[in-house]
Amino acid sequence: MRKITRRRAIGALVSVSASPSLAQTAAMAPAAVSAPVQGSALTAVWNLQSGGTGSAAGARQGAWSGKLAGDAYLSGKGFVKSNLSGLFLDAGPRSVAIANYDFSGCPAISITGTGTVTFTNCTFTLSAPPPGHAAVNFPCNINGDIDYNAGALKISFVNCSFVKAATFVMGSGTCVFSYCRFSGQKQGLGDVGYNGTGFASLTFDHCYITGGGVAPAPNAHVELTQFARKPTGGTSCTISNCMIDISRDGQTTAARWGSAWTGVFSIGVPLVASNSIIIGAAAVNANAANRNVVDTLFQYGDAYPPTITNCVLEPGCIGSGYSLNGSSGKHRPTVSGCRSIRNVALKADSFD
């Protein structure tokens, strides 16, 4: 898939404004959400802004202190010190469950194995990782080498909070984010093995996402997730029941930075987006100091046009703003039950 590169001056950021109460949020839901012109109502998805995502249980099992020594909880789960100045877990064929732990400040977490690792009610507010590495890498050995081709590891994050630099690189295998809260991300949540050949499946379900495009690096390609590889059978990306607003973490403020959004999602594998709300591009593009920096919601390759069902969408500024075939091919998304945030029905010809 060809990346679309555009360079514009864009603006720096402040913290996200406080979320309204649940009652206020439900009342504020626009008609496209509560009384759609087509498709079904997504009020419960809209209300993810008010609660139900992220870690709320507290760090009952402990918090990262800067060293593994003396941390009986992580040591007991099999974590050791990695060669990246962070943590390494070889899960092997086991099922490992980590719950109610605050990883804030840990520079990198690397995980390998063929089993299942589940994080529940954990917080990842991570410091800057070593050069060339994200804060969470999997499958990844103790030296930081990511397996892009043969991974069988299954990773799940349930009711976890990811703040600021808590990105991930997934080489292969399976990853599911359920009821997670993402905020403050510099330039996305993470990447899935660029041009890897092995099976990879990534799912965001019932997540609330406001990060992405928060003071990204100069000349960065900004997206929530870039998933570009040579697909093996079953490789896919799924976005379901998610509330996504890319304007909530200060992306509309006036200080300038020098990068632009490739797409809210830049996906070169089969993508299914359903029952989700993806808004905020218009507010970011209207910034007087940094106009028109979000091109599209879905950039895709001609071989894998996405399937988009029952979604509320607010467009970027290139073409329709809803999608962009990055391969300049003829195929277009398969669309049903979608509408704009203004509650205008969207058909197949509404997408590029």
Side-chain angles (χ1 to χ4, degrees), residues 75-337:
S75 296
K77 295 295 182 180
F79 283 94
V80 298
K81 187 178 181 299
S82 78
N83 293 336
L84 296 176
S85 301
L87 294 171
F88 173 68
L89 173 65
D90 185 351
R94 299 179 296 148
S95 292
V96 180
I98 300 104
N100 308 316
Y101 192 91
D102 186 352
F103 289 92
S104 298
C106 181
I109 301 170
S110 300
I111 307 169
T112 194
T114 57
T116 300
V117 179
T118 303
F119 295 88
T120 304
N121 282 311
C122 292
T123 299
F124 301 84
T125 305
L126 305 186
S127 61
H133 294 277
V136 185
N137 305 289
F138 51 91
C140 183
N141 67 21
I142 197 167
N143 297 314
D145 302 313
I146 297 170
D147 180 356
Y148 293 104
N149 302 319
L153 184 66
K154 296 179 177 66
I155 300 280
S156 293
F157 297 92
V158 182
N159 278 109
C160 290
S161 295
F162 297 82
V163 185
K164 295 185 179 177
T167 60
F168 67 93
V169 168
M170 174 185 175
S172 48
T174 301
C175 181
V176 178
F177 295 93
S178 298
Y179 293 92
C180 290
R181 174 73 170 102
F182 297 88
S183 60
Q185 309 305 120
K186 269 198 163 189
Q187 56 186 84
L189 310 180
D191 293 334
V192 180
Y194 195 81
N195 286 336
T197 60
F199 167 81
S201 175
L202 173 65
T203 297
F204 295 96
D205 180 63
H206 286 91
C207 292
Y208 178 33
I209 302 171
T210 57
V214 180
N219 300 321
H221 289 272
V222 180
E223 56 265 309
L224 293 186
T225 293
Q226 179 180 234
F227 193 162
R229 60 190 298 120
K230 300 171 182 176
T232 297
T235 289
S236 63
C237 181
T238 302
I239 303 156
S240 62
N241 305 293
C242 288
M243 175 67 210
I244 300 170
D245 184 348
I246 64 166
S247 69
R248 289 293 300 273
D249 287 353
Q251 297 93 319
T252 61
T253 56
R256 303 175 74 84
W257 38 269
S259 12
W261 288 76
T262 307
V264 177
F265 291 95
S266 181
I267 308 294
V269 300
L271 167 71
V272 175
S274 64
N275 305 321
S276 294
I277 302 167
I278 306 176
I279 60 176
V284 177
N285 284 334
N287 182 351
N290 310 285
R291 282 197 186 279
N292 297 331
V293 297
V294 184
D295 291 348
T296 189
L297 304 188
F298 303 98
Q299 185 188 216
Y300 63 95
D302 195 51
Y304 301 103
T307 299
I308 308 169
T309 304
N310 193 37
C311 289
V312 176
L313 306 173
E314 188 172 28
C317 62
I318 297 297
S320 71
Y322 295 112
S323 64
L324 178 65
N325 187 327
S327 303
S328 301
K330 64 181 180 180
H331 292 105
R332 298 293 175 261
T334 299
V335 181
S336 63

Side-chain angles (χ1 to χ4, degrees), residues 4-94:
I4 305 299
T5 303
R6 296 181 177 87
R7 302 290 179 244
R8 307 183 181 93
I10 14 190
L13 313 133
V14 296
S15 60
V16 63
S17 57
S19 296
S21 70
L22 183 60
Q24 288 174 319
T25 303
M28 291 164 51
V33 171
S34 60
V37 65
Q38 65 179 14
S40 58
L42 294 174
T43 307
V45 174
W46 180 266
N47 288 344
L48 291 175
Q49 298 172 86
S50 302
T53 64
S55 177
R60 296 196 302 267
Q61 299 292 356
W64 178 248
S65 65
K67 61 183 185 301
L68 187 59
D71 194 320
Y73 181 74
L74 291 185
S75 296
K77 295 295 182 180
F79 283 94
V80 298
K81 187 178 181 299
S82 78
N83 293 336
L84 296 176
S85 301
L87 294 171
F88 173 68
L89 173 65
D90 185 351
R94 299 179 296 148

